[in-house]
Amino acid sequence: MFEDSMMESGGKIKTKAQYWMLVSSFFWFAILATMILIPLLYPEALPKNSLTASLTAPPPPPPPPPPPPPPAAVVKPVKMVSEIDAGLHAPTKIPKDIKMIKEDAAPPPPSSMGVAGMSGMAGGAPGGIMGGMPGGSGSGPAITVAKPKPTGPARISGGVMAGSILNRVQPTYPPIAKAAHVGGTVVLHAIISKTGTIEKLEAISGPDMLKGAALDAVRQWRYKPYLLNGEPTDVDTTITVNFNLNGS
């Protein structure tokens, strides 16, 4: 032994140490492999608390409560009454004798009665209808029909009112319009009163240079009162005034 430790032993000690190293490495590798394979082959050997904590999911929330059922409609029973219960029964047998009921005749009308208002005729009763018939003696109040009153001025054409002019004033031709050789027709809208005077007057169309002269002249015109149902009334009409350069 002392010789082996102090001197070279010719490779004896070195060979044994290699064998022991291989054996010990294989032994520890087998132990490590066994420790790894046992949990894989037998998972029930692992702690249950750790598996439960890692694999168990939290429970789902409870479902919402179902909605309440709708209120049931109250159905009221309707009592049906048949015709038999109402008192309509078919006859059980046909009677042999049927009694006839005779009614008394109506009394004849009195001879003095006649048609109302037919006084003077056969059977006529005086004073029946107001006024009776021609030749009768019936008398009643006279019926008068009220004439309709106009609600506004009567719409009359300018040609009709032109024949009712009593006083016509000719318009003066404006010098500025004559110098500018402006002529034409001016149309005016007029309201004529019951007495024939001009109450309202306005220009509708025509040259602007001639409207003022036409208004000043027509305001002085006078008309005969226009009669409607025998009474004078206001008139709504149009008046035409002509300005002619050649005739001035």
Side-chain angles (χ1 to χ4, degrees):
M1 178 190 283
F2 181 75
E3 183 182 0
D4 294 336
S5 61
M6 295 298 292
M7 302 173 62
E8 294 183 359
S9 58
K12 295 180 180 179
I13 298 175
K14 185 177 180 180
T15 305
K16 292 180 180 180
Q18 291 178 353
Y19 291 151
W20 282 106
M21 186 180 297
L22 291 174
V23 172
S24 62
S25 299
F26 179 78
F27 176 75
W28 291 111
F29 178 77
I31 293 175
L32 181 61
T34 303
M35 294 178 64
I36 294 173
L37 292 176
I38 286 175
L40 297 177
L41 297 176
Y42 302 97
E44 60 272 7
L46 296 174
K48 295 183 179 180
N49 294 333
S50 61
L51 293 176
T52 305
S54 61
L55 300 178
T56 304
V74 179
V75 179
K76 296 183 179 180
V78 180
K79 187 177 180 182
M80 303 296 294
V81 180
S82 62
E83 296 181 353
I84 296 177
D85 296 337
L88 300 177
H89 300 279
T92 58
K93 61 180 180 178
I94 301 175
K96 296 181 180 180
D97 298 333
I98 299 175
K99 296 181 180 181
M100 302 298 293
I101 300 175
K102 295 183 179 180
E103 296 181 356
D104 296 336
S111 58
S112 61
M113 183 179 295
V115 180
M118 300 297 289
S119 177
M121 299 180 67
I129 300 176
M130 289 187 300
M133 295 293 291
S137 60
S139 60
I143 299 175
T144 57
V145 179
K147 297 180 181 179
K149 295 181 180 180
T151 57
R155 179 65 180 172
I156 307 299
S157 65
V160 174
M161 295 305 298
S164 302
I165 298 176
L166 297 177
N167 182 20
R168 182 194 298 267
V169 177
Q170 294 297 331
T172 303
Y173 212 113
I176 186 173
K178 185 180 295 186
H181 298 282
V182 175
T185 301
V186 178
V187 180
L188 307 176
H189 174 249
I191 301 295
I192 303 174
S193 66
K194 298 177 182 179
T195 59
T197 59
I198 303 295
E199 286 189 350
K200 182 180 179 181
L201 190 65
E202 59 182 354
I204 300 176
S205 63
D208 294 336
M209 293 184 180
L210 304 176
K211 289 181 180 179
L215 292 171
D216 293 340
V218 174
R219 285 193 182 97
Q220 306 177 45
W221 290 12
R222 294 295 179 268
Y223 290 82
K224 292 188 299 184
Y226 185 82
L227 301 179
L228 182 63
N229 296 327
E231 295 182 359
T233 183
D234 297 335
V235 174
D236 184 348
T237 186
T238 56
I239 300 173
T240 303
V241 181
N242 296 318
F243 290 86
N244 191 357
L245 285 172
N246 298 327
S248 58

Coordinates of all heavy atoms in Angstrom, one line a residue, residues 36-129:
I36 N -37.9 12.1 -11.5 CA -38.6 12.9 -12.5 C -39.8 12.1 -13.1 O -40.9 12.6 -13.3 CB -37.7 13.3 -13.6 CG1 -36.6 14.3 -13.1 CG2 -38.4 13.9 -14.8 CD1 -35.5 14.6 -14.0
L37 N -39.6 10.7 -13.2 CA -40.6 9.9 -13.9 C -41.8 9.6 -12.9 O -42.9 9.3 -13.4 CB -40.0 8.6 -14.4 CG -39.0 8.8 -15.6 CD1 -38.4 7.5 -15.9 CD2 -39.8 9.4 -16.8
I38 N -41.5 9.5 -11.6 CA -42.6 9.1 -10.7 C -43.8 10.1 -10.7 O -45.0 9.7 -10.9 CB -42.1 8.9 -9.3 CG1 -41.2 7.6 -9.2 CG2 -43.2 8.9 -8.3 CD1 -40.5 7.4 -7.9
P39 N -43.6 11.4 -10.7 CA -44.8 12.3 -10.8 C -45.5 12.2 -12.1 O -46.7 12.5 -12.2 CB -44.1 13.7 -10.6 CG -42.9 13.5 -9.9 CD -42.4 12.2 -10.4
L40 N -44.7 11.9 -13.2 CA -45.4 11.8 -14.5 C -46.2 10.6 -14.6 O -47.3 10.6 -15.2 CB -44.3 11.9 -15.6 CG -43.5 13.2 -15.7 CD1 -42.5 13.1 -16.8 CD2 -44.4 14.4 -15.9
L41 N -45.7 9.5 -14.0 CA -46.5 8.2 -14.1 C -47.6 8.1 -13.1 O -48.6 7.5 -13.3 CB -45.5 7.1 -14.0 CG -44.4 6.9 -15.1 CD1 -43.5 5.8 -14.7 CD2 -45.1 6.7 -16.4
Y42 N -47.4 8.7 -11.9 CA -48.4 8.7 -10.8 C -48.7 10.1 -10.4 O -48.1 10.6 -9.4 CB -47.8 7.8 -9.7 CG -47.5 6.4 -10.1 CD1 -46.1 6.1 -10.4 CD2 -48.4 5.4 -10.2 CE1 -45.8 4.8 -10.7 CE2 -48.1 4.1 -10.5 CZ -46.8 3.8 -10.8 OH -46.5 2.5 -11.2
P43 N -49.6 10.8 -11.1 CA -49.9 12.2 -10.7 C -50.6 12.3 -9.4 O -50.6 13.3 -8.8 CB -50.7 12.8 -11.9 CG -51.3 11.6 -12.5 CD -50.3 10.5 -12.3
E44 N -51.3 11.2 -9.0 CA -52.0 11.3 -7.7 C -51.1 11.4 -6.5 O -51.6 11.7 -5.4 CB -52.9 10.0 -7.6 CG -52.2 8.7 -7.6 CD -52.0 8.1 -9.0 OE1 -52.3 8.9 -9.9 OE2 -51.5 7.0 -9.1
A45 N -49.8 11.1 -6.8 CA -48.9 11.2 -5.6 C -48.6 12.6 -5.3 O -48.0 12.9 -4.2 CB -47.6 10.4 -6.0
L46 N -48.8 13.6 -6.2 CA -48.5 15.0 -6.0 C -49.5 15.6 -5.0 O -50.6 15.1 -4.8 CB -48.6 15.8 -7.3 CG -47.6 15.4 -8.3 CD1 -47.8 16.2 -9.6 CD2 -46.1 15.7 -7.9
P47 N -49.1 16.7 -4.3 CA -50.1 17.3 -3.4 C -51.3 17.8 -4.1 O -51.3 18.4 -5.2 CB -49.3 18.5 -2.8 CG -47.9 18.1 -3.0 CD -47.8 17.3 -4.3
K48 N -52.5 17.5 -3.5 CA -53.8 17.8 -4.2 C -54.0 19.3 -4.1 O -54.7 19.9 -5.0 CB -54.9 17.1 -3.5 CG -54.8 15.6 -3.7 CD -56.0 14.9 -3.1 CE -56.0 13.4 -3.3 NZ -57.1 12.7 -2.7
N49 N -53.6 20.0 -3.1 CA -53.9 21.4 -3.0 C -53.2 22.2 -4.1 O -53.8 23.2 -4.6 CB -53.4 21.9 -1.6 CG -54.2 21.3 -0.5 OD1 -55.3 20.9 -0.7 ND2 -53.6 21.2 0.7
S50 N -52.0 21.9 -4.4 CA -51.3 22.6 -5.5 C -51.9 22.4 -6.8 O -52.1 23.3 -7.7 CB -49.8 22.2 -5.5 OG -49.7 20.8 -5.8
L51 N -52.4 21.1 -7.1 CA -53.1 20.8 -8.4 C -54.4 21.5 -8.5 O -54.8 22.1 -9.5 CB -53.2 19.3 -8.6 CG -52.0 18.5 -8.8 CD1 -52.3 17.0 -8.8 CD2 -51.2 19.0 -10.0
T52 N -55.1 21.5 -7.3 CA -56.4 22.2 -7.3 C -56.3 23.7 -7.6 O -57.1 24.3 -8.3 CB -57.1 21.9 -6.0 OG1 -57.2 20.5 -5.8 CG2 -58.5 22.5 -6.0
A53 N -55.3 24.3 -6.9 CA -55.1 25.8 -7.1 C -54.7 26.1 -8.5 O -55.0 27.2 -9.0 CB -54.1 26.2 -6.1
S54 N -54.0 25.2 -9.2 CA -53.5 25.5 -10.5 C -54.4 25.2 -11.6 O -54.4 25.8 -12.7 CB -52.1 24.9 -10.8 OG -52.3 23.5 -10.7
L55 N -55.3 24.1 -11.4 CA -56.1 23.6 -12.5 C -57.6 24.0 -12.3 O -58.3 24.0 -13.3 CB -56.0 22.1 -12.6 CG -54.6 21.5 -12.8 CD1 -54.7 20.0 -12.9 CD2 -54.1 22.1 -14.2
T56 N -58.0 24.3 -11.1 CA -59.5 24.6 -10.9 C -59.8 26.0 -11.2 O -59.1 27.0 -10.7 CB -59.8 24.3 -9.4 OG1 -59.5 23.0 -9.1 CG2 -61.3 24.5 -9.2
A57 N -60.7 26.3 -12.1 CA -61.2 27.6 -12.5 C -62.2 28.1 -11.5 O -63.0 27.3 -11.0 CB -61.7 27.6 -13.9
P58 N -62.3 29.4 -11.4 CA -63.4 30.0 -10.5 C -64.8 29.6 -11.0 O -65.0 29.6 -12.2 CB -63.1 31.5 -10.4 CG -62.4 31.7 -11.7 CD -61.5 30.5 -12.0
P59 N -65.7 29.4 -10.2 CA -67.1 29.1 -10.6 C -67.7 30.3 -11.4 O -67.5 31.4 -11.0 CB -67.8 28.7 -9.4 CG -67.1 29.5 -8.3 CD -65.6 29.5 -8.7
P60 N -68.5 30.0 -12.4 CA -69.2 31.1 -13.1 C -70.2 31.8 -12.2 O -70.7 31.2 -11.3 CB -69.8 30.4 -14.3 CG -70.1 29.0 -13.8 CD -68.9 28.7 -12.9
P61 N -70.5 33.1 -12.5 CA -71.5 33.8 -11.7 C -72.9 33.1 -11.9 O -73.2 32.6 -12.9 CB -71.5 35.2 -12.2 CG -70.9 35.1 -13.6 CD -70.0 33.9 -13.6
P62 N -73.7 33.2 -10.9 CA -75.0 32.6 -11.0 C -75.9 33.3 -12.1 O -75.7 34.5 -12.3 CB -75.6 32.8 -9.6 CG -74.9 34.0 -9.0 CD -73.5 33.9 -9.6
P63 N -76.7 32.6 -12.8 CA -77.6 33.3 -13.8 C -78.6 34.2 -13.2 O -79.0 34.1 -12.0 CB -78.2 32.1 -14.5 CG -78.3 31.0 -13.4 CD -77.0 31.2 -12.6
P64 N -79.0 35.3 -13.9 CA -79.9 36.2 -13.4 C -81.3 35.5 -13.2 O -81.6 34.5 -13.9 CB -80.0 37.3 -14.5 CG -79.6 36.6 -15.7 CD -78.6 35.6 -15.3
P65 N -82.1 36.0 -12.2 CA -83.4 35.4 -12.0 C -84.3 35.6 -13.2 O -84.2 36.6 -13.9 CB -83.9 36.1 -10.8 CG -83.2 37.4 -10.8 CD -81.8 37.1 -11.3
P66 N -85.1 34.6 -13.5 CA -86.1 34.8 -14.6 C -87.1 35.9 -14.4 O -87.4 36.2 -13.2 CB -86.8 33.4 -14.7 CG -86.7 32.9 -13.3 CD -85.4 33.4 -12.7
P67 N -87.5 36.6 -15.5 CA -88.5 37.7 -15.3 C -89.8 37.1 -14.8 O -90.2 36.0 -15.1 CB -88.6 38.2 -16.7 CG -88.2 37.1 -17.6 CD -87.2 36.3 -16.9
P68 N -90.5 38.0 -14.1 CA -91.8 37.5 -13.5 C -92.8 37.3 -14.7 O -92.8 38.0 -15.7 CB -92.2 38.7 -12.6 CG -91.5 39.9 -13.2 CD -90.2 39.4 -13.6
P69 N -93.6 36.4 -14.5 CA -94.6 36.1 -15.6 C -95.6 37.3 -15.7 O -95.9 38.0 -14.7 CB -95.3 34.8 -15.1 CG -95.2 34.8 -13.6 CD -93.8 35.5 -13.4
P70 N -96.1 37.6 -16.9 CA -97.1 38.7 -17.1 C -98.4 38.4 -16.4 O -98.7 37.2 -16.2 CB -97.3 38.7 -18.6 CG -96.9 37.3 -19.1 CD -95.9 36.9 -18.2
P71 N -99.0 39.4 -15.9 CA -100.3 39.2 -15.2 C -101.3 38.6 -16.1 O -101.5 39.0 -17.3 CB -100.7 40.6 -14.7 CG -100.0 41.5 -15.7 CD -98.7 40.8 -16.0
A72 N -101.9 37.6 -15.6 CA -103.0 36.9 -16.4 C -104.2 37.8 -16.6 O -104.6 38.5 -15.6 CB -103.4 35.6 -15.7
A73 N -104.7 37.9 -17.8 CA -105.9 38.7 -18.1 C -107.1 38.0 -17.4 O -107.3 36.8 -17.5 CB -106.1 38.8 -19.6
V74 N -107.9 38.9 -16.8 CA -109.1 38.5 -16.2 C -110.2 38.3 -17.2 O -110.6 39.3 -17.9 CB -109.5 39.5 -15.1 CG1 -110.8 39.0 -14.4 CG2 -108.4 39.6 -14.1
V75 N -110.6 37.2 -17.4 CA -111.7 36.9 -18.4 C -113.0 36.8 -17.6 O -113.2 35.9 -16.7 CB -111.4 35.6 -19.1 CG1 -112.5 35.3 -20.1 CG2 -110.0 35.6 -19.8
K76 N -113.9 37.7 -17.9 CA -115.2 37.7 -17.3 C -116.2 36.8 -18.1 O -116.3 37.0 -19.3 CB -115.8 39.1 -17.2 CG -114.9 40.0 -16.3 CD -115.6 41.3 -16.2 CE -114.8 42.2 -15.2 NZ -115.4 43.6 -15.1
P77 N -116.8 35.8 -17.5 CA -117.7 35.0 -18.3 C -119.0 35.8 -18.7 O -119.5 36.6 -17.9 CB -118.0 33.9 -17.3 CG -117.8 34.5 -16.0 CD -116.7 35.4 -16.1
V78 N -119.4 35.6 -19.9 CA -120.6 36.3 -20.4 C -121.7 35.2 -20.5 O -121.6 34.2 -21.1 CB -120.3 36.8 -21.8 CG1 -121.6 37.5 -22.4 CG2 -119.2 37.9 -21.8
K79 N -122.7 35.5 -19.8 CA -123.9 34.6 -19.7 C -124.7 34.8 -21.0 O -125.2 35.9 -21.3 CB -124.7 34.9 -18.5 CG -125.8 33.9 -18.3 CD -126.5 34.1 -17.0 CE -127.7 33.1 -16.8 NZ -128.4 33.4 -15.5
M80 N -124.8 33.7 -21.7 CA -125.6 33.7 -23.0 C -127.0 33.2 -22.6 O -127.1 32.1 -22.0 CB -125.0 32.9 -24.0 CG -123.5 33.3 -24.4 SD -123.5 35.0 -25.1 CE -124.4 34.6 -26.6
V81 N -128.0 33.9 -23.1 CA -129.4 33.5 -22.8 C -130.0 33.1 -24.1 O -130.0 33.8 -25.1 CB -130.2 34.7 -22.2 CG1 -131.6 34.3 -22.0 CG2 -129.6 35.2 -20.9
S82 N -130.4 31.9 -24.2 CA -130.9 31.3 -25.4 C -132.4 31.8 -25.6 O -133.0 32.4 -24.7 CB -130.9 29.8 -25.4 OG -131.7 29.3 -24.3
E83 N -132.9 31.7 -26.8 CA -134.2 32.1 -27.1 C -135.3 31.3 -26.3 O -136.3 31.8 -25.9 CB -134.5 32.0 -28.6 CG -133.7 32.9 -29.5 CD -134.0 32.7 -30.9 OE1 -134.8 31.8 -31.2 OE2 -133.4 33.5 -31.7
I84 N -135.0 30.1 -26.0 CA -135.9 29.2 -25.3 C -136.0 29.7 -23.8 O -137.1 29.9 -23.3 CB -135.5 27.8 -25.3 CG1 -135.5 27.2 -26.7 CG2 -136.4 26.9 -24.4 CD1 -135.1 25.8 -26.9
D85 N -134.8 30.1 -23.2 CA -134.9 30.6 -21.9 C -135.5 32.0 -21.8 O -136.0 32.4 -20.8 CB -133.4 30.7 -21.3 CG -132.8 29.4 -21.2 OD1 -133.5 28.4 -21.1 OD2 -131.5 29.3 -21.2
A86 N -135.5 32.7 -22.9 CA -136.1 34.1 -22.9 C -137.6 34.0 -23.1 O -138.3 35.0 -23.0 CB -135.5 34.9 -24.1
G87 N -138.2 32.9 -23.3 CA -139.6 32.8 -23.3 C -140.2 32.4 -24.7 O -141.4 32.4 -24.8
L88 N -139.3 32.2 -25.7 CA -139.8 31.8 -27.0 C -139.9 30.3 -27.1 O -138.9 29.6 -27.1 CB -138.9 32.4 -28.1 CG -138.8 33.9 -28.1 CD1 -137.8 34.3 -29.2 CD2 -140.1 34.6 -28.4
H89 N -141.1 29.8 -27.0 CA -141.3 28.3 -27.1 C -142.2 28.0 -28.3 O -143.1 28.8 -28.6 CB -142.0 27.8 -25.8 CG -141.2 28.1 -24.5 ND1 -140.1 27.4 -24.1 CD2 -141.3 29.2 -23.6 CE1 -139.6 27.9 -23.0 NE2 -140.3 28.9 -22.7
A90 N -141.9 26.9 -28.9 CA -142.7 26.5 -30.0 C -144.0 25.9 -29.4 O -144.0 25.2 -28.4 CB -142.0 25.5 -30.8
P91 N -145.1 26.0 -30.1 CA -146.4 25.4 -29.6 C -146.3 23.9 -29.7 O -145.7 23.3 -30.6 CB -147.4 26.0 -30.6 CG -146.7 26.3 -31.8 CD -145.3 26.8 -31.4
T92 N -146.9 23.4 -28.6 CA -146.8 21.9 -28.6 C -147.8 21.2 -29.5 O -147.6 20.1 -30.0 CB -147.1 21.5 -27.1 OG1 -148.4 22.0 -26.7 CG2 -146.0 22.0 -26.2
K93 N -149.0 21.9 -29.8 CA -150.0 21.4 -30.7 C -150.7 22.5 -31.4 O -150.7 23.7 -31.0 CB -151.0 20.5 -29.9 CG -151.8 21.3 -28.9 CD -152.8 20.4 -28.2 CE -153.6 21.1 -27.1 NZ -154.6 20.3 -26.4
I94 N -151.3 22.2 -32.5 CA -152.0 23.2 -33.3 C -153.5 23.2 -32.9 O -154.2 22.2 -32.9 CB -151.9 22.8 -34.8 CG1 -150.4 22.8 -35.3 CG2 -152.7 23.9 -35.7 CD1 -150.2 22.4 -36.7
P95 N -154.0 24.4 -32.5 CA -155.4 24.5 -32.1 C -156.3 24.2 -33.3 O -156.0 24.6 -34.4 CB -155.6 25.9 -31.6 CG -154.5 26.7 -32.2 CD -153.4 25.7 -32.4
K96 N -157.5 23.6 -33.0 CA -158.5 23.3 -34.1 C -159.3 24.5 -34.4 O -159.6 24.8 -35.6 CB -159.4 22.1 -33.6 CG -158.6 20.8 -33.4 CD -159.6 19.7 -33.0 CE -158.9 18.4 -32.8 NZ -159.8 17.3 -32.4
D97 N -159.8 25.2 -33.4 CA -160.6 26.4 -33.7 C -159.8 27.7 -33.5 O -159.1 27.9 -32.5 CB -161.8 26.4 -32.7 CG -162.7 25.2 -32.9 OD1 -162.7 24.7 -34.1 OD2 -163.3 24.8 -32.0
I98 N -159.8 28.5 -34.6 CA -159.1 29.8 -34.5 C -160.1 30.9 -34.5 O -161.0 31.0 -35.4 CB -158.2 30.0 -35.7 CG1 -157.1 28.9 -35.7 CG2 -157.5 31.4 -35.7 CD1 -156.2 28.9 -36.9
K99 N -160.2 31.7 -33.4 CA -161.1 32.8 -33.3 C -160.7 34.0 -34.1 O -159.5 34.4 -34.0 CB -161.3 33.1 -31.8 CG -161.9 32.0 -31.0 CD -162.1 32.4 -29.6 CE -162.7 31.3 -28.7 NZ -162.9 31.7 -27.3
M100 N -161.6 34.6 -34.8 CA -161.3 35.8 -35.6 C -161.8 37.0 -34.8 O -162.9 37.1 -34.3 CB -162.1 35.8 -37.0 CG -161.7 34.6 -37.8 SD -159.9 34.6 -38.3 CE -159.9 36.0 -39.3
I101 N -160.9 38.0 -34.7 CA -161.3 39.2 -34.0 C -161.7 40.3 -35.0 O -160.9 40.6 -35.9 CB -160.1 39.7 -33.1 CG1 -159.7 38.6 -32.1 CG2 -160.4 41.0 -32.4 CD1 -158.4 38.9 -31.3
K102 N -162.9 40.8 -34.8 CA -163.4 41.9 -35.7 C -163.4 43.2 -34.9 O -163.8 43.3 -33.8 CB -164.8 41.5 -36.1 CG -164.9 40.3 -36.9 CD -166.4 40.1 -37.4 CE -166.5 38.8 -38.3 NZ -167.9 38.6 -38.7
E103 N -162.9 44.2 -35.6 CA -162.8 45.6 -35.1 C -164.0 46.4 -35.6 O -164.4 46.2 -36.7 CB -161.5 46.2 -35.4 CG -160.3 45.5 -34.9 CD -159.0 46.3 -35.2 OE1 -159.1 47.3 -36.0 OE2 -157.9 45.9 -34.8
D104 N -164.5 47.3 -34.7 CA -165.6 48.2 -35.1 C -165.1 49.2 -36.2 O -163.9 49.6 -36.1 CB -166.1 48.9 -33.9 CG -166.7 47.9 -32.9 OD1 -167.1 46.8 -33.3 OD2 -166.7 48.3 -31.7
A105 N -166.0 49.5 -37.1 CA -165.6 50.5 -38.1 C -165.5 51.9 -37.5 O -166.2 52.2 -36.6 CB -166.7 50.5 -39.2
A106 N -164.6 52.7 -38.1 CA -164.4 54.0 -37.6 C -165.7 54.9 -37.9 O -166.3 54.7 -39.0 CB -163.2 54.6 -38.2
P107 N -166.0 55.8 -37.0 CA -167.2 56.6 -37.3 C -166.9 57.6 -38.5 O -165.8 58.0 -38.7 CB -167.4 57.4 -36.0 CG -166.0 57.4 -35.4 CD -165.4 56.1 -35.7
P108 N -168.0 57.9 -39.3 CA -167.8 58.8 -40.4 C -167.4 60.2 -39.9 O -167.8 60.6 -38.9 CB -169.1 58.8 -41.1 CG -170.1 58.4 -40.0 CD -169.4 57.5 -39.1
P109 N -166.7 61.0 -40.7 CA -166.3 62.3 -40.3 C -167.5 63.2 -40.3 O -168.4 63.0 -41.1 CB -165.3 62.7 -41.3 CG -165.5 61.9 -42.5 CD -166.1 60.6 -42.0
P110 N -167.6 64.3 -39.5 CA -168.7 65.2 -39.5 C -168.8 66.0 -40.9 O -167.7 66.2 -41.5 CB -168.5 66.1 -38.4 CG -167.0 66.0 -38.1 CD -166.6 64.6 -38.5
S111 N -170.0 66.3 -41.2 CA -170.2 67.0 -42.5 C -169.6 68.4 -42.5 O -169.3 68.9 -43.6 CB -171.7 67.0 -42.9 OG -172.4 67.7 -41.8
S112 N -169.4 69.0 -41.4 CA -168.9 70.4 -41.3 C -167.4 70.4 -41.5 O -166.8 71.5 -41.6 CB -169.3 71.0 -40.0 OG -168.8 70.3 -38.9
M113 N -166.7 69.3 -41.4 CA -165.2 69.3 -41.5 C -164.8 69.4 -42.9 O -165.4 68.6 -43.8 CB -164.7 68.0 -40.8 CG -163.1 68.0 -40.8 SD -162.5 66.5 -40.0 CE -163.1 66.8 -38.3
G114 N -163.9 70.2 -43.2 CA -163.4 70.3 -44.6 C -161.9 70.5 -44.6 O -161.3 70.4 -43.5
V115 N -161.3 70.8 -45.7 CA -159.9 71.0 -45.8 C -159.6 72.4 -45.3 O -160.2 73.4 -45.7 CB -159.4 70.9 -47.2 CG1 -157.9 71.1 -47.3 CG2 -159.8 69.5 -47.7
A116 N -158.6 72.5 -44.4 CA -158.3 73.8 -43.8 C -157.8 74.8 -44.9 O -157.0 74.4 -45.7 CB -157.1 73.6 -42.8
G117 N -158.3 76.0 -44.8 CA -157.9 77.0 -45.8 C -158.7 76.9 -47.1 O -158.5 77.8 -48.0
M118 N -159.7 76.0 -47.3 CA -160.5 75.9 -48.5 C -161.8 76.6 -48.3 O -162.9 76.1 -48.6 CB -160.7 74.5 -48.9 CG -159.4 73.7 -49.1 SD -158.5 74.4 -50.5 CE -159.5 73.8 -51.8
S119 N -161.8 77.8 -47.7 CA -163.0 78.5 -47.4 C -163.6 78.9 -48.8 O -162.9 79.4 -49.7 CB -162.8 79.7 -46.6 OG -163.9 80.5 -46.4
G120 N -165.0 78.8 -48.9 CA -165.6 79.2 -50.1 C -165.8 78.0 -51.0 O -166.5 78.2 -52.0
M121 N -165.2 76.9 -50.7 CA -165.4 75.7 -51.5 C -166.2 74.7 -50.7 O -166.5 74.9 -49.5 CB -164.0 75.2 -51.9 CG -163.2 76.1 -52.7 SD -161.6 75.4 -53.2 CE -162.2 74.1 -54.3
A122 N -166.6 73.6 -51.3 CA -167.4 72.6 -50.6 C -166.6 72.0 -49.5 O -165.5 71.5 -49.7 CB -167.8 71.5 -51.6
G123 N -167.2 72.1 -48.3 CA -166.5 71.5 -47.1 C -165.4 72.3 -46.6 O -164.6 71.8 -45.8
G124 N -165.1 73.5 -47.1 CA -164.0 74.3 -46.7 C -164.2 74.9 -45.3 O -165.3 75.2 -44.9
A125 N -163.2 75.0 -44.5 CA -163.2 75.5 -43.2 C -162.5 76.9 -43.2 O -161.3 76.9 -43.5 CB -162.6 74.6 -42.1
P126 N -163.2 77.9 -42.9 CA -162.6 79.3 -42.9 C -161.5 79.4 -41.8 O -161.7 78.8 -40.7 CB -163.7 80.2 -42.7 CG -164.7 79.4 -42.0 CD -164.6 78.0 -42.5
G127 N -160.5 80.1 -42.2 CA -159.4 80.3 -41.2 C -158.5 79.2 -41.0 O -157.8 79.1 -40.0
G128 N -158.4 78.2 -42.0 CA -157.5 77.1 -41.9 C -156.1 77.5 -42.1 O -155.4 77.7 -41.1
I129 N -155.7 77.7 -43.3 CA -154.4 78.2 -43.7 C -154.5 79.7 -43.7 O -155.5 80.2 -44.2 CB -153.9 77.6 -45.0 CG1 -153.9 76.1 -44.9 CG2 -152.6 78.1 -45.4 CD1 -153.5 75.4 -46.2

